[in-house]
Amino acid sequence: MKCIGVLTSGGDAPGMNAAIRAVVRTGLDNGIRVMGIQRGYSGLINGELFEMDRRSVADTIQRGGTILRTARSKEFKTKEGRKKAVNILKAFGIDGLVVIGGDGSFRGASELAKQDICTIGIPGTIDNDLTYTDYTIGFDTAINTVLDAINKIRDTSTSHGRVSIIEVMGRNCGDIALYAGLAGGAESIIVPEKNYDLNELCKTILEGKIRGKRHNLILLAEGVGGADELAKKVQEITSIDTRATILGHIQRGGSPTCMDRVLASQMGYRAVELLFEGKTSRAIGIKFGKIIDEDIEEALNMPRNFNEKLYQIAMALSY
Ligand code: ADP
């Protein structure tokens, strides 16, 4: 192993920079060259590569987003596009590649591994939607951003005696709603993994009001439906003033939390170690506090595993 490449792909997540920093500095410490690839697979196909040194990643551990920038590439999904990518990697003498991104990026990484490019995946996505790992980089920062918003919305919700519906990210995975909802003391948490009944929801709101609850917070994962629409229906049925807040992209940005920085640093370090061990097509994760690695294809094929127990606890405590 003489030269490795690193790229970030798909949706950005806080902590990606800490992972890039770890890959770059671990590589350099082991006497190899490290090439930064800009704008994900799109930049790879276009040859947007530059050599990185220790200074390239100075002053980045605290920054959200990704210094390598990110993109989505339709061309890379084609055989011809991937051939171009492989040719570029070979032309630059890159023998190992670290891909930081979500499940789509991992599918791309797996395709490259099939073309004899040693490839390692690091999970960078705020959604926490990869089953093989307990946490993905960016999730902790995102839930803390949501929690901060919940605390603020709770103040106004309590003052006015309103129902507040807070829509958070998560198309197929309700983890952001679940964790932030539990930590924020939400009365209801609506996630794609669980069916919900509008009449039951309204009954819970009205019962809460009778018991003296002055606010009512509902965390809604975007995959279930829109907050505006739900707010209208809830207000119609309960006659309680109901407001919707869609948090949107503020959940993606911001300085990564300590946990995300530590996780990203460990994962970046391990990615380079794995390349030195001659491993390929591995996805790095964390299970029960330990850094692990799993075959990328197997990692992608694991069925979603919703934390039912945590949901039950959140519901029991919100009563
Ligand atoms: P994320 O990595 O955050 O899930 P995307 O799903 O948009 O984001 O994937 C990022 C990029 O990975 C895509 O733009 C595409 O270039 C590549 N990709 C996604 N799926 C595949 C696939 N099945 N085969 C090859 N490349 C893929």
Side-chain angles (χ1 to χ4, degrees):
M1 189 76 45
K2 291 201 180 78
C3 177
I4 61 171
V6 57
L7 63 80
T8 49
S9 162
D12 62 309
M16 279 182 161
N17 287 328
I20 297 167
R21 174 177 177 270
V23 169
V24 171
R25 292 195 169 164
T26 309
L28 294 174
D29 283 350
N30 284 283
I32 57 170
R33 292 168 58 220
V34 183
M35 300 296 293
I37 300 158
Q38 288 179 305
R39 297 194 316 105
Y41 296 125
S42 184
L44 174 58
I45 289 171
N46 293 325
E48 296 170 39
L49 288 82
F50 68 103
E51 183 149 359
M52 300 184 84
D53 59 23
R54 298 187 72 86
R55 294 280 302 281
S56 316
V57 287
D59 205 22
T60 62
I61 196 165
Q62 79 286 10
R63 280 162 59 188
T66 158
I67 55 163
L68 290 177
R69 301 164 68 205
T70 185
R72 294 196 159 91
S73 167
K74 278 198 184 130
E75 195 181 357
F76 188 77
K77 284 190 168 179
T78 66
K79 237 181 175 175
E80 297 72 39
R82 288 197 296 276
K83 186 82 207 128
K84 276 193 206 168
V86 170
N87 288 342
I88 295 274
L89 289 168
K90 288 195 171 145
F92 278 87
I94 293 173
D95 341 276
L97 179 68
V98 179
V99 171
I100 308 167
D103 60 342
S105 305
F106 276 19
R107 281 179 221 288
S110 168
E111 290 297 329
L112 282 177
K114 284 180 199 154
Q115 314 250 348
D116 287 338
I117 304 288
C118 285
T119 309
I120 306 292
I122 295 181
T125 164
I126 64 163
D127 292 335
N128 210 37
D129 57 353
L130 292 161
T131 307
Y132 79 95
T133 179
D134 288 342
Y135 299 107
T136 57
I137 296 168
F139 175 64
D140 187 61
T141 307
I143 51 178
N144 278 289
T145 301
V146 173
L147 189 57
D148 183 48
I150 295 175
N151 293 339
K152 287 174 174 146
I153 291 167
R154 178 193 278 269
D155 288 346
T156 168
S157 183
T158 307
S159 304
H160 288 269
R162 279 180 187 143
V163 174
S164 293
I165 302 177
I166 304 166
E167 183 185 314
V168 298
M169 284 188 175
R171 252 175 253 137
N172 310 307
C173 175
D175 277 15
I176 294 181
L178 175 60
Y179 280 72
L182 168 56
E187 273 69 29
S188 304
I189 299 172
I190 306 174
V191 291
E193 293 91 341
K194 288 196 81 72
N195 292 330
Y196 89 99
D197 182 81
L198 179 62
N199 289 324
E200 267 307 309
L201 178 73
C202 291
K203 191 166 152 257
T204 309
I205 293 168
L206 288 168
E207 283 171 350
K209 195 176 178 191
I210 292 164
R211 286 200 313 276
K213 270 190 191 278
R214 284 200 286 158
H215 63 262
N216 207 294
L217 298 171
I218 301 171
L219 261 275
L220 170 71
E222 64 180 339
V224 184
D228 285 322
E229 201 187 327
L230 182 61
K232 271 194 206 121
K233 288 183 190 159
V234 168
Q235 183 161 325
E236 230 170 74
I237 297 173
T238 63
S239 302
I240 303 173
D241 192 14
T242 302
R243 299 292 165 94
T245 306
I246 300 164
L247 295 185
H249 279 102
I250 70 161
Q251 295 163 88
R252 283 261 186 93
S255 183
T257 57
C258 178
M259 208 178 120
D260 272 332
R261 295 182 202 192
V262 171
L263 184 65
S265 301
Q266 287 176 291
M267 288 181 167
Y269 185 90
R270 184 69 188 132
V272 178
E273 271 186 349
L274 284 172
L275 286 173
F276 272 106
E277 288 167 17
K279 303 271 172 60
T280 183
S281 199
R282 305 296 293 174
I284 299 178
I286 187 161
K287 268 276 173 214
F288 307 118
K290 278 211 163 71
I291 298 296
I292 53 121
D293 56 279
E294 180 72 61
D295 177 74
I296 290 188
E297 288 286 330
E298 281 176 29
L300 287 171
N301 289 334
M302 284 184 195
R304 277 229 19 92
N305 177 19
F306 183 65
N307 194 336
E308 208 52 64
K309 185 78 188 174
L310 205 57
Y311 181 81
Q312 279 170 17
I313 293 171
M315 289 304 95
L317 302 184
S318 72
Y319 183 74

